[in-house]
Amino acid sequence: MPTSVLDLAPVVPVVVIEDAADAVPLARALVDGGLPVIEVTLRTPAALDAIRAVAAAVPDAMVGAGTVLTPAQVTECVAAGARFLVSPGWTDRLLTAMAASGVPYLPGVSTASEVVTLLERGVREMKFFPAQAAGGTAYLGSLAGPLPQARFCPTGGIGPDNAPEYLALPNVGCVGGTWMVPADAVGAGDWDRVRELARAAAGLRTGLGPGGGSGVRDAGGTCR
């Protein structure tokens, strides 16, 4: 059985919600397409309402909060129903708050020193961000030898063309991306398009492709 958010699906959609009314149909399309783990970023005023709506109406979705920057946001997101937390980076105060939140969390790193520091604190699973700008697969793969304890969800500059290269790395559990939730499709309410893009993304690791199933593994556990 998997023990981590990183093991639930090969791709975590990173979602920016402008209108909270879009959150539930968007989440249903992603889940139907085989991507049940959904990161709603705190980049818009609608984010918390979107998390709240998905948590209440789409039980098959594991909705989390991204771009978490402060301890106050940790509290707000968990209260809204977020089941995991993701940050682009971390501070001592933020890390303490996330660790005390009671939900899985992925603090962001981009250097070996940051990884070592988190390992010292008992954190083994992290977001690697911004993945492409921070060195891409060459850099991330080079960390696997000296730091095999660390596992990553790389995000930033990842799309369907390079996602398989990341997923092939031994220290990558999943990748984060936005390509299956294009702004024009969300704005138009084209949930069929989102569903098909999600289905293709879910098949990246398994090689099933758009028509061959979800590629999603069983849910469970934490990401600490």
Side-chain angles (χ1 to χ4, degrees):
M1 291 292 292
T3 59
S4 166
V5 168
L6 299 188
D7 293 325
L8 302 184
V11 180
V12 175
V14 179
V15 178
V16 178
I17 298 287
E18 300 288 349
D19 184 347
D22 292 330
V24 168
L26 175 61
R28 286 175 175 155
L30 291 170
V31 171
D32 288 348
L35 299 181
V37 184
I38 303 168
E39 176 188 334
V40 177
T41 67
L42 301 184
R43 300 181 189 179
T44 69
L48 286 175
D49 285 340
I51 291 169
R52 194 173 291 112
V54 173
V58 192
D60 291 336
M62 184 171 186
V63 63
T67 322
V68 177
L69 303 177
T70 69
Q73 288 178 328
V74 169
T75 301
E76 292 170 344
C77 291
V78 174
R83 294 173 61 188
F84 65 95
L85 305 169
V86 184
S87 66
W90 60 276
T91 65
D92 287 336
R93 290 180 64 245
L94 180 58
L95 190 67
T96 298
M98 289 194 296
S101 69
V103 301
Y105 58 96
L106 293 171
V109 297
S110 60
T111 69
S113 294
E114 291 171 318
V115 175
V116 170
T117 302
L118 286 180
L119 288 174
E120 283 186 347
R121 298 182 184 210
V123 179
R124 291 174 159 243
E125 299 192 349
M126 312 162 197
K127 172 178 179 173
F128 181 63
F129 177 83
Q132 282 292 96
T137 55
Y139 186 90
L140 194 54
S142 71
L143 296 179
L147 301 170
Q149 313 96 312
R151 295 180 73 219
F152 301 94
C153 175
T155 305
I158 298 177
D161 293 334
N162 61 359
E165 299 173 16
Y166 282 94
L167 292 169
L169 295 175
N171 55 352
V172 168
C174 63
V175 300
T178 62
W179 74 88
M180 73 299 299
V181 284
D184 60 340
V186 175
D190 189 351
W191 310 126
D192 287 338
R193 182 181 172 200
V194 171
R195 187 178 299 107
E196 289 307 308
L197 289 169
R199 186 169 291 120
L204 283 176
R205 176 177 278 130
T206 63
L208 293 174
S214 71
V216 178
R217 299 179 240 176
D218 295 333
T222 72
C223 73
R224 287 186 290 224

